[in-house]
Amino acid sequence: MIARVAALLAALLLATAAPAQSQSQDASRDPLVEAARINARLAMEYLKRDQLSVARDKSERALALNPRDLTVQLAAGLVYERLLDTKRAEKHFRLALRADAASPEAQNALGAFLCRNGEFTKGEAMFVKAAGNPLYRTPEVAYTNAGVCARSANNLERAEKYLRQALTVRAVYPETFVQLAGVLHERGNHLQARAFIERFLAAAPATPDALLLGHQIEMAMNDRKAAAVFSDRLHKEFPESVQVRVLDDIERRNPG
């Protein structure tokens, strides 16, 4: 679950950054528009630092300056979701889409919000719409998020389909590798799952989730020696992680 949430959050952060870049040319002609986007970007920076009160203030300032701006509305949606005000967060994500109905960033952001809040079918639909949007430069992100959403809904067959679609768009996308490894492992295809974990580790820095998943895959294949390699790496590289505690609990319950 940690990996799935992380993927969706990453997608949202990408979504808030992209419109600001694509619209920078017209912003330079209007100081109010630029000021609103600066405040929205500051809200995101404070949000990353968990300074929620300041993030909210910056977001509200951005909204006061230009409530019709896509970037401003996306930032507000993120801020209010972190403040656990899901009703207000959804309002801002939908206002972002109203500001630009053709925006793949807004489609992706709303899809992520819907999926995180249990509306899996609607979330998947928004991701697929974003992935098929000719304006979207990174459709692999939307397809991967659709896969994450389907996996969260326990529809592993559909999750695998979306993740493989992501790889047809971009053959080397580490987040897709690790998500597909998880789906294949859950579907019992451990040999292919192993291959995708290996591809992930060859393309990106190790993460606690990936190492724990690698251990689980090797155990499912009865390769305790290979599983021990993942266990050792997890303990050495991420000794304070939640995944280490999970692994220790697994090993206590299944000694030998």
Side-chain angles (χ1 to χ4, degrees):
M1 188 63 183
I2 293 170
R4 302 172 203 175
V5 173
L8 292 171
L9 180 57
L12 268 176
L13 292 174
L14 285 171
T16 57
Q21 295 169 355
S22 63
Q23 298 171 349
S24 60
Q25 189 173 5
D26 69 283
S28 64
R29 295 192 290 267
D30 189 333
L32 283 181
V33 171
E34 178 62 15
R37 291 179 187 162
I38 288 171
N39 276 278
R41 288 193 289 270
L42 287 171
M44 291 299 90
E45 288 302 316
Y46 285 114
L47 195 64
K48 292 176 189 177
R49 301 173 192 171
D50 291 324
Q51 294 179 254
L52 302 186
S53 178
V54 184
R56 181 193 58 201
D57 292 345
K58 293 297 181 184
S59 178
E60 288 297 320
R61 177 61 178 159
L63 287 167
L65 288 166
N66 189 9
R68 294 186 297 275
D69 188 89
L70 172 65
T71 303
V72 168
Q73 291 293 348
L74 287 175
L78 279 174
V79 168
Y80 281 102
E81 189 175 8
R82 280 286 297 279
L83 290 169
L84 305 181
D85 190 341
T86 54
K87 185 175 181 179
R88 194 165 181 178
E90 182 173 2
K91 181 191 80 170
H92 287 297
F93 287 129
R94 292 193 181 279
L95 284 171
L97 196 56
R98 187 180 301 175
D100 185 354
S103 166
E105 292 83 14
Q107 293 163 354
N108 197 50
L110 180 58
F113 172 83
L114 291 169
C115 188
R116 276 198 306 277
N117 286 277
E119 297 190 59
F120 303 118
T121 301
K122 291 180 181 179
E124 282 180 46
M126 290 305 302
F127 287 135
V128 171
K129 190 173 183 179
N133 190 323
L135 299 175
Y136 202 19
R137 296 180 181 179
T138 55
E140 69 275 7
V141 173
Y143 278 129
T144 298
N145 287 337
V148 170
C149 199
R151 185 182 178 192
S152 297
N154 293 316
N155 192 318
L156 299 180
E157 182 178 358
R158 198 158 66 237
E160 183 176 346
K161 181 194 78 170
Y162 289 135
L163 293 166
R164 290 193 182 277
Q165 280 181 289
L167 293 180
T168 65
V169 176
R170 183 176 172 185
V172 180
Y173 186 46
E175 183 58 39
T176 306
F177 291 158
V178 73
Q179 292 293 337
L180 190 49
V183 169
L184 290 166
H185 172 57
E186 289 174 27
R187 298 196 74 187
N189 193 340
H190 308 303
L191 188 61
Q192 279 198 40
R194 171 195 274 171
F196 278 106
I197 275 293
E198 290 173 351
R199 290 176 71 180
F200 172 80
L201 292 172
T207 67
D209 281 310
L211 295 177
L212 178 59
L213 178 57
H215 177 274
Q216 293 169 326
I217 291 168
E218 297 301 342
M219 288 298 291
M221 296 183 70
N222 295 313
D223 191 336
R224 291 185 174 274
K225 184 176 180 180
V229 172
F230 281 105
S231 178
D232 290 345
R233 285 194 64 181
L234 184 57
H235 281 91
K236 289 176 182 176
E237 297 175 33
F238 304 98
E240 304 300 323
S241 66
V242 172
Q243 290 79 0
V244 163
R245 295 197 295 273
V246 171
L247 179 57
D248 288 345
D249 185 56
I250 291 172
E251 291 179 335
R252 277 195 299 271
R253 287 186 281 109
N254 299 282

